[in-house]
Amino acid sequence: MSTMWAGDRRVGLRGLQRPGPWALASLSLAAACSSQMPGSKQPPTTGALCSARDPGPSPLRRLTRVEYGRTLADLIGPGLVDASVLPPDERALGFDNNAEVLGTSDLLIEQYQDLAERAAAAVVADLGRFVPCAAAAGDDACALGFIADFGRRAWRRPLDATESAALMDAFAGGKVAGGFGEGITRVVAVLLQSPQFLYRIEYGAGLTAGLVPGVPAAVSLTPHETAARLSYLLWGSLPDDALAAAADADRLSTQADLAREARRLLGDARARDVVSAFHASWLGLDRLDDLDKDPVVFPMFNPALRASFRAETAHFVDEVIWNREGTLAALLGARYSFVDAGLRTFYGAPASAGTGFEYLAMDPTRRAGLLTQPAFLAVHAKATQTSPIHRGRFVREQLFCTTPPPPPNDIEIRPPGLDPRKSTRQRFAQHVTDPSCAACHSLMDPIGFGFEHYDGIGRWRDTESGIPVDATGMLTGTDVDGPFDGAVELADRLAGSDRVAGCYATQWFRFGYGRGETEADACSLADLAGALKTSGGDVRELVVALTQTDAFRYRRAPAPASASASAPASASASEGSAP
């Protein structure tokens, strides 16, 4: 098994599960944090009233596979270590960054060890870039300077004297074994396998100095903890030098400070990647990579077209948010898209002399925004047919944040079989006539039928099985109730819904903070929904608003009894423990 070094001891990274000396204090902190946070499986509270300000839970968050890769690339340079070998992260509430399900495994730990050692080798292979003083000095003072600089960036905060001394022990052991370069190798391996790198550990500013006026349940974060929250929210990676300098100067304590830095970070391409990732997860497009369709029913569907589906939605989101209207209404209702040659054929549009993705004005009676794009429609369908259930359920759950009741235990969940004599609507009629099915399906199917003009891969159709398509539908239990005819009319209705806007803000809360909402988050959710409405639905302003809430700015104060019982003095004395 790969190992890491702490002083003269070799300590396996399985210390994350069975702690070695270097990890004990941090893991005690993790236990304390976990014991304080409510689970994210509580019912959504988007309609709850804001009665008392509370930051809600602050779970200990492990870096996701994507965050790990971005962090490592920003730390040592792109392309030096391939983090895509890490296993995919579990999903909860539609996103893969939910702290409640980000666990560890033997496989993950071994891969962390291997990647840390590869990164260490890459650093030493280009020692002059990472440790400029090595050529001239190569002594302990040079190593200590490297530890202070590289360690600060890796752990997203300055190291304290105890941590620096422990890392110098690792360096000294390596230097004896193989010289200066081996010492640096061991330092990097320790830093990149530590909980302080792999987790975003937050202690807060302390109960004495950090209690927040007006929010008695909260303590302030340290400036560097705030900087890390900000950079991982908007970039999915570590703070840059300017953000670290703002933390050093304590210029991240006010809402104005955070808004200023948020707008600066949003100007970077990394923010576009994060915004794109949110929308792909929200729409369920992660399933596109493994999506299969019956080649007899859908002969034109192939890997190239599947890739074009994903790229179209990515281009559309990027253009709408950053270069055009920038609003949720445009995401849901814009009558244009961006297509390549394959998609021109798919949509029946004229060929173009251009290459790559180009603007295309869509038929305004057939296409409107994200919900009529083939990426969404193909994912929310079956291999051989459409699925009014899945398409309708998406609207209920992801756009209105309401969950239909589960089916009875004695019901076999299976879509009606294909029948060349019947339309999908006719085959699914039993769902609303059978009392055991109607309670659930009456909430989903009348919405899903509105998408019936689009087949299982999103192509427009006027007839099915020789029968004219009936795409009339009905919204109930919303703020925009009533009949509609087709997905374009539905999209326009959704674009004007306050509840859809509030749910969209809630989805950003779940993604941005890596957890589900609780009753304590009512004020933060109300702040986000209010910011989106005040800005006219501007998505960029909503992202900035994510940095202004109590849930972002503070963490919940631990109960004194649990704090004294579970957190050792060595852990509470500093932001992190010695390696």
Side-chain angles (χ1 to χ4, degrees), residues 52-286:
R53 307 213 64 95
D54 189 319
S58 298
L60 185 69
R61 295 178 64 177
R62 174 175 65 76
L63 298 186
T64 66
R65 176 174 65 167
V66 172
E67 289 171 341
Y68 179 96
R70 289 174 177 162
T71 300
L72 203 58
D74 286 343
L75 187 61
I76 68 172
L80 296 179
V81 176
D82 181 12
S84 67
V85 299
L86 293 173
D89 294 305
E90 295 291 330
R91 290 183 174 270
L93 299 174
F95 302 108
D96 65 358
N97 65 348
N98 190 291
E100 186 170 299
V101 297
L102 289 178
T104 59
S105 65
D106 285 348
L107 173 61
L108 180 62
I109 290 170
E110 289 176 0
Q111 289 175 324
Y112 279 151
Q113 291 175 328
D114 180 64
L115 292 174
E117 291 174 1
R118 290 176 183 270
V123 168
V124 173
D126 196 3
L127 199 60
R129 177 165 72 94
F130 290 97
V131 196
C133 58
D139 55 13
D140 289 359
C142 177
L144 188 61
F146 170 77
I147 287 170
D149 178 60
F150 191 87
R152 171 203 174 93
R153 297 185 64 226
W155 287 3
R156 284 86 71 179
R157 59 168 176 80
L159 278 59
D160 64 26
T162 302
E163 293 164 342
S164 296
L167 287 163
M168 279 300 294
D169 285 346
F171 169 77
K175 185 177 180 181
V176 170
F180 185 88
E182 177 62 17
I184 295 297
T185 296
R186 296 191 180 191
V187 167
V188 174
V190 168
L191 285 167
L192 300 187
Q193 293 180 77
S194 65
Q196 293 91 332
F197 175 75
L198 297 171
Y199 290 82
R200 289 162 53 190
I201 299 172
E202 297 173 340
Y203 284 81
L207 289 176
T208 302
L211 285 172
V212 180
V215 194
V219 294
S220 300
L221 299 173
T222 70
H224 294 96
E225 289 167 354
T226 300
R229 278 197 180 189
L230 191 59
S231 66
Y232 279 94
L233 170 68
L234 299 180
W235 285 354
S237 186
L238 50 79
D240 64 358
D241 290 343
L243 187 55
D248 288 343
D250 196 18
R251 288 187 281 108
L252 296 175
S253 59
T254 69
Q255 288 177 306
D257 289 337
L258 293 170
R260 179 195 66 244
E261 287 299 319
R263 296 183 195 285
R264 182 180 69 82
L265 268 59
L266 284 174
D268 190 281
R270 285 170 285 189
R272 295 192 175 205
D273 291 340
V274 169
V275 171
S276 179
F278 163 80
H279 288 92
S281 293
W282 175 52
L283 294 169
L285 302 191
D286 55 291

Side-chain angles (χ1 to χ4, degrees), residues 379-436:
V379 162
H380 297 279
K382 297 293 186 180
T384 59
Q385 59 183 301
T386 64
S387 178
I389 301 172
H390 287 85
R391 291 171 177 178
R393 181 175 179 175
F394 176 89
V395 173
R396 281 286 178 192
E397 292 189 342
Q398 303 302 318
L399 289 170
F400 285 106
C401 288
T402 58
T403 303
N409 293 330
D410 58 350
I411 294 294
E412 181 181 1
I413 302 175
R414 184 175 59 186
L418 292 175
D419 186 337
R421 300 164 300 174
K422 293 182 178 180
S423 69
T424 298
R425 194 179 195 110
Q426 291 170 331
R427 290 186 293 108
F428 278 73
Q430 179 188 359
H431 285 171
V432 293
T433 58
D434 185 338
S436 62

Side-chain angles (χ1 to χ4, degrees), residues 323-350:
N323 300 326
R324 295 176 183 269
E325 302 91 339
T327 64
L328 173 61
L331 289 175
L332 294 174
R335 270 40 169 199
Y336 59 83
S337 191
F338 298 86
V339 301
D340 60 5
L343 286 171
R344 284 183 176 277
T345 300
F346 178 88
Y347 283 123

